Amino acid sequence: MTPKNAPHIDAVAQIVSKCLHTSAFQIERVLSGVSTYVYRIRLYRDILYVRILPEQGKSLGVEARVHSLLRQQGVRVPEVVYFEHVNEATGLSLMIVNEIPGSDAGRCSSMNEYGNIVAEAGKQIAIVNQVAVNGFGWIKREKEESGSDLQGEKSSLHDCINECLEQDLLALSEYRFTGEETTRILRILDAGVPLMARHRARLVHGDFDDSHI
């Protein structure tokens, strides 16, 4: 995803105006977005964010539903104020969320403050990890996957682990792993998968770090 591929800011402004029924706002592109195109909206005293999914045929419906579910359980994730599976103007899925005021945890003035905040975030991410998923791997994000249950791309943990395992083990040889060591890794995985598969899959934040706090 590159900035030049993002929908033009004027087009996004027109979408926002239609969604919020007002043109009394300021809009700017936020380049820190990784998985989505992000635009900041200053609406009176409120700040909102437009998130647009880059992939055609994919939907933010699952994410919008998870946000709602987590908020019901007291997790401090942004409230989704507007959502579309497919926006007519862009052909892409989008949602508008409100801002959680403050700065990221990495800007804390002391390590003691940082530690307390991260500890509280740990309690919150533990609630995220209680959300059940059917299947394993990345969550399916097609429009039709916006039902009551989250669906993983793989039906079994074995399929998920072994999808790229051969290439991964081959790459280890570049870091001086011996054939005996890679064989030992395979044996550990073969023994461990049945043990892990006894538990139902749960939702995991794929790249959680202190910039999300």
Side-chain angles (χ1 to χ4, degrees), residues 41-60:
I41 305 298
R42 300 183 186 276
L43 176 66
Y44 307 114
R45 294 184 178 181
D46 297 324
I47 294 181
L48 306 173
Y49 289 91
V50 182
R51 295 184 56 197
I52 301 178
L53 199 62
E55 297 91 352
Q56 292 274 354
K58 300 291 185 179
S59 173
L60 286 167

Side-chain angles (χ1 to χ4, degrees), residues 20-110:
L20 301 181
H21 307 291
T22 180
S23 58
F25 59 82
Q26 297 176 321
I27 183 172
E28 60 184 335
R29 178 77 195 285
V30 180
L31 296 178
S32 59
V34 176
S35 60
T36 56
Y37 303 124
V38 181
Y39 303 80
R40 183 183 291 111
I41 305 298
R42 300 183 186 276
L43 176 66
Y44 307 114
R45 294 184 178 181
D46 297 324
I47 294 181
L48 306 173
Y49 289 91
V50 182
R51 295 184 56 197
I52 301 178
L53 199 62
E55 297 91 352
Q56 292 274 354
K58 300 291 185 179
S59 173
L60 286 167
V62 169
E63 188 162 349
R65 182 159 51 83
V66 170
H67 274 236
S68 176
L69 175 64
L70 293 178
R71 285 179 58 83
Q72 293 173 21
Q73 299 184 47
V75 180
R76 292 196 65 196
V77 295
E79 178 185 6
V80 179
V81 299
Y82 184 85
F83 159 73
E84 281 188 284
H85 276 303
V86 182
N87 174 260
E88 183 178 355
T90 63
L92 302 172
S93 184
L94 69 82
M95 67 181 186
I96 301 176
V97 300
N98 65 5
E99 179 192 46
I100 296 179
S103 57
D104 65 76
R107 301 184 184 183
C108 288
S109 58
S110 71

Side-chain angles (χ1 to χ4, degrees), residues 167-184:
Q167 299 95 304
D168 292 341
L169 292 178
L170 182 62
L172 290 179
S173 64
E174 300 178 9
Y175 296 93
R176 300 186 179 180
F177 277 70
T178 66
E180 180 182 352
E181 288 168 330
T182 55
T183 298
R184 190 180 306 169

